[in-house]
């Protein structure tokens, strides 16, 4: 298979993860261009990752004939327009989570890619995280009998960039940022059943001065097959990133801790360079991870998407996946505003961003 030539939009946190994941698969993919608005950032990223071309305007990258697949790692509010621009330029698209801000945007992204005959792939790496994939294989084999409860939690001390805290750019707080993973995970794990209802309890517990967004939430999803999903999301958890699942069936259960569960319980009085994402210190007890990108599933996700571009695999996560999650995010925010569960389908029109449904529920 010839290498799939990727152009990355954005040059910071997630862009670094994807560029590193591509390097882990040199026979299948290569990054041929990056675009980011600050010249020095774009150039620095290109130098760091050995990328031949750096642009400051994403439209320049879209005109680059070498780019086949555009990987969007920019703030949420830009996802829809960049996807549509990329589709019009005839490029396949991978969009990072959450897909966009509104369901109308999701519709427009899916339509634009369909009309252009390009793929719209939704980057939910938990579908590729080896430990979670193993748990799903066990479930699919029948190890737990009928699975009736799936839990996923993602918790850390809060995002690294200012735009996440600005709901105009992010669309919401911890639910928008983190529950999108858990909603997608539970849905995928259970075999992509319909979502019957969503209930969410959310609050701004700690970061009132920094954001109008929610920083902590518990979201309960009722699936059409009778199973329940429970998603915990927090920007208030100190000590580094925490990503866990629990799966319960009538014949068994399994537990998986993606990061601490794969780490080295370590004690150091002097500290060291890096333990895990968003850990404030490495002094005292800490949990340094190894093969962090591999444990998350980033290289495996890149490989799958590259093979989809070459027609060798069928996408397991696409624009429709992102739209399923988007509708559940709408329902979560509306539910928190209304104080009751919200039945799906739930597609209120004219919403500017999901968090508005919390502050002013329909
Ligand atoms: N899958 C995951 O686990 C995961 C993890 C982190 C972030 N993300 C998602 O990736 C996206 C980016 O998040 P991040 O953490 O990398 O944010 P970040 O703030 O670290 O980086 C954002 C990048 O976008 C660039 N950018 C802004 N406007 C741009 C424009 N007009 N053209 C090109 N680049 C532009 C910025 O310069 C910066 O390089 C978000 O949607 C986020 O939710 C996903």
């Amino acid at each position: 298979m010839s290498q799939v030539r990727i152009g990355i939009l954005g040059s910071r946190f997630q862009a670094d993860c994807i560029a590193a994941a591509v390097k882990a698969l040199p026979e299948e993919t290569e990054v041929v261009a990056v675009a980011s608005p600050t010249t020095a950032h774009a150039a620095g990223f290109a130098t760091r990752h050995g990328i031949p071309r750096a642009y400051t305007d994403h439209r320049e990258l879209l005109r680059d004939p070498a780019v086949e697949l555009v990987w969007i790692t920019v703030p949420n509010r830009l996802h829809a327009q960049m996807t549509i621009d990329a589709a019009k330029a005839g490029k396949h698209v991978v969009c990072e989570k959450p897909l966009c801000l509104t369901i109308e945007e999701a519709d427009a992204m899916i339509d634009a890619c369909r009309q252009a005959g390009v793929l719209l792939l939704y980057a939910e790496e938990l579908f590729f995280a080896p430990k979670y994939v193993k748990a799903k294989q066990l479930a699919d084999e029948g190890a737990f009998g009928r699975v009736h409860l799936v839990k996923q939690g993602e918790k850390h001390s809060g995002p690294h960039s200012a735009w996440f805290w600005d709901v105009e750019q992010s669309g919401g707080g911890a639910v928008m940022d983190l529950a999108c993973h858990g909603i997608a995970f539970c849905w995928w794990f259970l075999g992509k059943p319909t979502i019957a209802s969503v209930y969410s309890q959310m609050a701004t517990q700690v970061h009132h001065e920094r954001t109008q967004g929610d920083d902590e939430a518990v979201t309960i999803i009722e699936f059409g097959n009778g199973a329940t999903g429970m998603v915990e999301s927090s920007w208030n958890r100190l000590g580094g990133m925490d990503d866990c699942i629990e799966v319960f069936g009538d014949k068994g259960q399994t537990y998986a801790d993606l990061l601490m569960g794969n780490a080295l319980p370590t004690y150091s009085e002097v500290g060291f360079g890096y333990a895990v994402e968003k850990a404030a210190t490495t002094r005292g007890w800490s949990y340094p991870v190894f093969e962090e990108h591999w444990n998350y599933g980033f290289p495996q996700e890149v490989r799958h998407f590259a093979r989809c571009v070459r027609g060798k695999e069928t996408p397991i996560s696409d624009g429709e996946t992102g739209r399923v999650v988007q509708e559940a995010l709408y329902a979560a925010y509306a539910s928190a505003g209304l104080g009751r569960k919200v039945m799906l389908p739930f597609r209120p029109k004219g919403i500017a961003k999901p968090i508005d449904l919390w502050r002013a529920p329909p």
Side-chain angles (χ1 to χ4, degrees):
M1 178 173 118
S2 66
Q3 290 160 307
V4 171
R5 299 180 306 275
I6 298 173
I8 297 181
L9 304 184
S11 63
R12 288 191 66 201
F13 186 90
Q14 193 57 13
D16 270 322
C17 291
I18 299 310
V22 167
K23 269 189 217 146
L25 303 159
E27 67 288 357
E28 307 228 19
T29 50
E30 63 178 321
V31 182
V32 295
V34 59
S36 198
T38 309
T39 309
H41 291 173
F45 185 86
T47 305
R48 203 158 65 245
H49 293 288
I51 299 167
R53 287 180 295 287
Y55 303 106
T56 50
D57 188 324
H58 77 280
R59 287 162 297 195
E60 291 177 87
L61 181 145
L62 296 179
R63 284 195 291 272
D64 185 335
V67 173
E68 292 177 89
L69 169 68
V70 173
W71 202 300
I72 298 177
T73 72
V74 300
N76 303 344
R77 80 181 154 81
L78 300 172
H79 289 186
Q81 191 57 54
M82 287 191 178
T83 297
I84 292 165
D85 291 348
K88 286 185 178 156
K91 313 290 187 191
H92 299 291
V93 181
V94 176
C95 186
E96 283 293 336
K97 61 80 197 167
L99 187 64
C100 49
L101 297 196
T102 71
I103 292 181
E104 286 91 337
E105 284 181 347
D107 292 341
M109 294 162 81
I110 292 168
D111 287 350
C113 289
R114 193 171 288 143
Q115 276 173 24
V118 296
L119 295 173
L120 172 54
L121 302 158
Y122 179 63
E124 178 45 74
E125 80 277 4
L126 297 187
F127 295 178
F128 303 92
K131 213 180 225 189
Y132 292 174
V133 168
K134 179 69 183 175
K136 179 159 165 56
Q137 282 167 355
L138 294 174
D140 291 348
E141 201 185 306
F144 316 125
R146 180 186 159 263
V147 174
H148 54 81
L149 176 62
V150 180
K151 298 186 187 180
Q152 193 273 350
E154 194 162 310
K155 298 162 241 179
H156 59 59
S157 55
H160 46 275
S161 287
W163 69 263
F164 284 93
W165 302 89
D166 172 6
V167 295
E168 298 304 324
Q169 299 196 63
S170 58
V175 166
M176 192 74 184
D177 182 36
L178 302 177
C180 59
H181 284 302
I183 292 164
F185 176 82
C186 295
W187 175 78
W188 166 75
F189 196 94
L190 289 163
K192 305 185 174 177
T194 54
I195 297 178
S197 77
V198 176
Y199 173 80
S200 191
Q201 168 67 39
M202 66 181 75
T204 313
Q205 297 284 11
V206 175
H207 297 288
H208 305 94
E209 298 193 352
R210 215 164 166 196
T211 185
Q212 295 182 336
D214 47 298
D215 64 10
E216 186 133 323
V218 177
T219 302
I220 296 170
I221 307 149
E222 186 184 12
F223 288 98
N225 66 1
T228 302
M230 201 188 109
V231 175
E232 271 186 86
S233 319
S234 179
W235 283 352
N236 305 325
R237 191 62 50 94
L238 304 179
M241 175 70 112
D242 180 4
D243 196 310
C244 293
I245 62 164
E246 296 179 20
V247 176
F248 300 92
D250 57 358
K251 298 277 188 289
Q253 65 255 12
T254 193
Y255 307 87
D257 180 339
L258 203 64
L259 297 161
M260 271 188 293
N262 280 3
L264 296 78
T266 296
Y267 181 83
S268 168
E269 300 211 333
V270 291
F272 52 94
Y274 177 82
V276 68
E277 182 186 338
K278 297 186 174 67
T281 180
T282 53
R283 288 192 179 193
W285 282 103
S286 65
Y287 295 85
V289 291
F290 57 93
E291 298 286 2
E292 191 172 16
H293 290 149
W294 188 261
N295 286 328
Y296 269 125
F298 289 127
Q300 300 91 325
E301 175 186 82
V302 169
R303 180 173 58 202
H304 171 63
F305 288 160
R307 290 179 180 180
C308 291
V309 167
R310 287 285 174 268
K312 291 179 182 300
E313 291 183 13
T314 305
I316 63 165
S317 186
D318 59 9
E320 315 275 345
T321 304
R323 184 162 58 187
V324 167
V325 174
Q326 201 67 30
E327 187 174 349
L329 290 172
Y330 264 32
Y333 279 107
S335 153
L338 293 164
R340 61 167 170 79
K341 73 180 179 184
V342 165
M343 308 305 293
L344 271 65
F346 182 70
R347 298 182 55 130
K349 297 215 183 311
I351 306 300
K353 54 190 181 303
I355 197 166
D356 292 347
L357 290 159
W358 181 30
R359 300 303 187 192

